[in-house]
Amino acid sequence: MKKALLRISLLLTALLLPVTMQAKKKQEKVMTDREYWCEQAWRMAQPVLENMAKGELQKNMKTEFSPSFDNRNRKVVYMETFGRLMAGVAPWLSLPDDDTAEGKRRKQLREWALAAFKNSVDPQSPDYLCWGVSGQNLVDAAYIAEAFIRAYDALWVPLDDVTKSRYIEEFKKLRRIEPPYTNWFLFSSTIESFIAKAAGLGEYDDYRVMTTIRKVEEWYIGDGWYADGPVFAFDYYSSYVFHAMYLETLKNMIDAKANTRIDYKKYYDRALKRAQKMAIILERFISPEGTFPVVGRSIPYRMAAMQPLALMAWYQTLPKELTNGQVRAALTQVTHRMYDHQQNYNDGGFLTIGFCGSQPDVADWYTNNGSLYLTSLSLMPLGLPANHDFWTCPAEEWTQVKAWNGKPFPKDHRWGDDIQTKDKW
């Protein structure tokens, strides 16, 4: 009798198992690429913005510093975290509200962000940032300004007049920081050009903008690459800083209707073509497995190396050599490779020092785990609505997938500037 019952039980199990597995598969909904990107953005932003909206980021953030961290004020970690995160998620937060699950999360993040922006310049808030205590503040004030530039109507316009005034004053005070002869010039020009747009031409320092433009043009070495100062270094600073902040500086001056010797529109059009070439190079850097070369300093900035590619996608100015389908597929594969299998967050929910996982020894002397939020810059295409072709078109093989699988792929040649500029007088 027992053997008969056992046989019946095994038979029922065998019959019901496929049904159970099918039901389980139905419950395990496969994420779309956009849903996956949104999940990454939420995981990165929620611990920062929820805490800062309450004035509790400096109380609750689990911080980490490079083993060789220098003697600067360690409170810079909070400004780095907030500014760099906001520069990356600002395009997403600029989208209008809707009743989708994504829309509800996005609205919540925006509300937290607006409260955090207010707290960061309120001297009475526990999360008032350490404006002006270190030269490093110039860097991360520029990323805060960049967030306002990228979501002007959603993040700058709604702020109250007192908060706006405080930002302009804090930005102006940073003029006492002398930038080194490197990409730091662009931090000054991004801030000053934003002041010109938001507060008026009578408020900004024209010399800091003009000098930056002259120097960036001198430092362009061709085929999409900029030298970081007078000497070229093979690293990702063309991605981290140059292309985006140069375009934004020029666009702010166009928006402010500045009339100087510089023909900002021609300069912008030329800089855009250079950024498009850089996007082509970066797409070719992505291997079939979703990895890219680990070279140069500041490598813990992770996917910030892909900023020009993400920026061109968000601007809807990808060059003809790149399709939305291949760029989305390539960036999605890199994101999976970066975040699915390695521990990139500490037990407090904040990014941990490393490139792909916890690797503290790759940090530079200026690296803390706030620095790492620059990786959010790769998320800018989330600023395109969910029904945009970038998200709805079929995924396509990117260049290295084709090349390493014996398929036809486009050749690559040097791009030269075809827009010449002269001073207007």
Side-chain angles (χ1 to χ4, degrees), residues 148-404:
F148 289 142
I149 293 164
R150 291 174 176 179
Y152 192 84
D153 291 337
L155 297 179
W156 176 255
V157 172
L159 294 176
D160 61 89
D161 290 342
V162 171
T163 299
K164 288 178 180 176
S165 177
R166 284 173 172 168
Y167 268 107
I168 298 301
E169 289 308 307
E170 295 287 10
F171 285 152
K172 287 180 177 179
K173 289 177 185 176
L174 295 172
R175 291 170 182 167
R176 65 177 179 267
I177 297 173
E178 180 186 357
Y181 205 56
T182 64
N183 66 87
W184 279 50
F185 275 33
L186 280 155
F187 302 135
S188 290
S189 71
T190 299
I191 291 169
E192 295 297 336
S193 64
F194 172 73
I195 292 173
K197 176 177 178 175
L201 292 171
E203 302 295 322
Y204 87 112
D205 184 339
D206 176 62
Y207 185 74
R208 286 174 181 261
V209 175
M210 295 289 282
T211 300
T212 297
I213 292 171
R214 303 292 192 193
K215 287 301 170 185
V216 169
E217 289 297 330
E218 287 179 17
W219 296 340
Y220 183 66
I221 59 174
D223 225 21
W225 292 93
Y226 289 95
D228 190 9
V231 179
F232 177 72
F234 191 73
D235 56 30
Y236 287 110
Y237 271 83
S238 287
S239 289
Y240 299 151
V241 181
F242 276 93
H243 283 291
M245 287 194 171
Y246 192 36
L247 283 167
E248 287 159 341
T249 293
L250 294 167
K251 184 62 165 61
N252 284 339
M253 300 311 293
I254 293 169
D255 291 347
K257 296 181 171 56
N259 183 27
T260 72
R261 293 178 185 273
I262 297 290
D263 187 333
Y264 296 109
K265 181 62 168 62
K266 283 188 175 181
Y267 273 70
Y268 180 89
D269 290 343
R270 183 168 63 188
L272 180 64
K273 288 194 171 186
R274 294 171 180 174
Q276 289 173 321
K277 175 58 177 178
M278 190 67 187
I280 290 172
I281 291 170
L282 292 171
E283 189 270 349
R284 285 174 177 258
F285 275 8
I286 298 173
S287 76
E289 299 76 27
T291 62
F292 60 87
V294 184
V295 295
R297 67 187 180 95
S298 299
I299 203 63
Y301 296 170
R302 292 181 170 92
M303 289 187 65
M306 295 291 134
Q307 179 178 205
L309 186 56
L311 186 73
M312 293 299 97
W314 176 48
Y315 278 2
Q316 302 178 68
T317 55
L318 286 171
K320 66 181 187 302
E321 290 83 353
L322 300 177
T323 67
N324 281 324
Q326 76 186 94
V327 172
R328 188 190 79 237
L331 289 177
T332 301
Q333 185 65 17
V334 176
T335 308
H336 278 296
R337 183 63 185 84
M338 181 73 73
Y339 290 107
D340 288 1
H341 308 294
Q342 306 295 341
Q343 182 50 261
N344 290 284
Y345 291 87
N346 61 33
D347 56 16
F350 300 92
L351 285 170
T352 190
I353 293 176
F355 173 73
C356 186
S358 178
Q359 301 155 305
D361 289 338
V362 303
D364 295 289
W365 70 91
Y366 46 80
T367 308
N368 58 67
N369 66 324
S371 314
L372 318 180
Y373 283 84
L374 212 62
T375 189
S376 68
L377 298 175
S378 69
L379 298 170
M380 284 187 288
L382 282 174
L384 298 169
N387 61 359
H388 188 276
D389 182 68
F390 183 85
W391 299 109
T392 60
C393 70
E396 297 178 40
E397 294 177 332
W398 54 99
T399 303
Q400 296 301 330
V401 174
K402 295 174 183 176
W404 286 95

Side-chain angles (χ1 to χ4, degrees), residues 36-56:
Y36 177 73
W37 284 48
C38 289
E39 190 65 31
Q40 301 307 311
W42 173 263
R43 184 180 185 188
M44 199 176 294
Q46 177 266 325
V48 176
L49 298 183
E50 183 175 10
N51 273 293
M52 197 165 178
K54 300 173 184 175
E56 295 179 353

